[in-house]
Amino acid sequence: MPEPSRRRPRPGTPGQVLAWLPDGRPADVYSAPCPSRQVLDRIADKWTALIVGCLSTGTKRYSELRAAIDGVSEKMLTQTLRGLERDGLVTRTVHPTVPPKVEYTLTELGGTLTAPLAVIRDWAESHINEINDARTRYDGGV
């Protein structure tokens, strides 16, 4: 069997393969069946970016997250936290009190997302006026 190419076969970040899948194929987010696509979907989600940002400063209770992230519904917050926990990015700790106290913390793996997602959040805030101007031009405004 020929050795798989060590170059990325698709656009994006050219260079060496960053990870090999258990079946011997390279991880490639441009390939539809690659499981890295699901990870990209998780971390590119706006609620994930906001939750990771909130948890980057330390452990938070559900109610603290809900108060900090304006506009998130209970359903979306719960779904996103469950997905982050499933992916090993967040730990959920339930304290046996009445009422139960539930806390969320970034795992070591989740902590590796804080810097890249902070850059994206900062970029969105820094360029919002340019984006709004472009939208206005596109929509036929001034």
Side-chain angles (χ1 to χ4, degrees):
M1 170 161 140
E3 177 155 338
S5 169
R6 296 215 179 268
R7 307 289 292 164
R8 287 183 177 269
R10 299 179 191 261
T13 308
Q16 296 295 318
V17 171
L18 300 175
W20 295 93
L21 301 174
D23 65 4
R25 291 179 301 137
D28 178 7
V29 295
Y30 289 93
S31 173
C34 183
S36 63
R37 177 86 59 101
Q38 294 170 350
V39 175
L40 182 62
D41 188 44
R42 165 76 57 223
I43 64 175
D45 176 73
K46 70 179 172 184
W47 301 122
T48 293
L50 297 174
I51 291 169
V52 168
C54 285
L55 292 177
S56 69
T57 59
T59 300
K60 301 276 188 300
R61 295 182 69 175
Y62 182 91
S63 59
E64 293 174 302
L65 289 169
R66 180 93 197 278
I69 304 171
D70 190 30
V72 67
S73 67
E74 287 187 27
K75 177 184 176 184
M76 283 311 303
L77 181 56
T78 299
Q79 278 184 301
T80 306
L81 285 167
R82 284 182 183 157
L84 291 169
E85 184 180 11
R86 179 175 184 251
D87 291 344
L89 303 172
V90 167
T91 57
R92 178 178 183 264
T93 305
V94 180
H95 299 279
T97 59
V98 177
K101 179 180 173 184
V102 180
E103 296 178 322
Y104 296 90
T105 307
L106 288 176
T107 62
E108 187 175 333
L109 179 62
T112 65
L113 278 175
T114 59
L117 291 179
V119 169
I120 292 169
R121 289 189 308 270
D122 291 348
W123 186 93
E125 290 176 352
S126 297
H127 296 281
I128 186 58
N129 292 327
E130 295 163 83
I131 299 295
N132 281 338
D133 290 347
R135 288 175 177 172
T136 299
R137 286 190 306 275
Y138 182 88
D139 294 340
V142 177

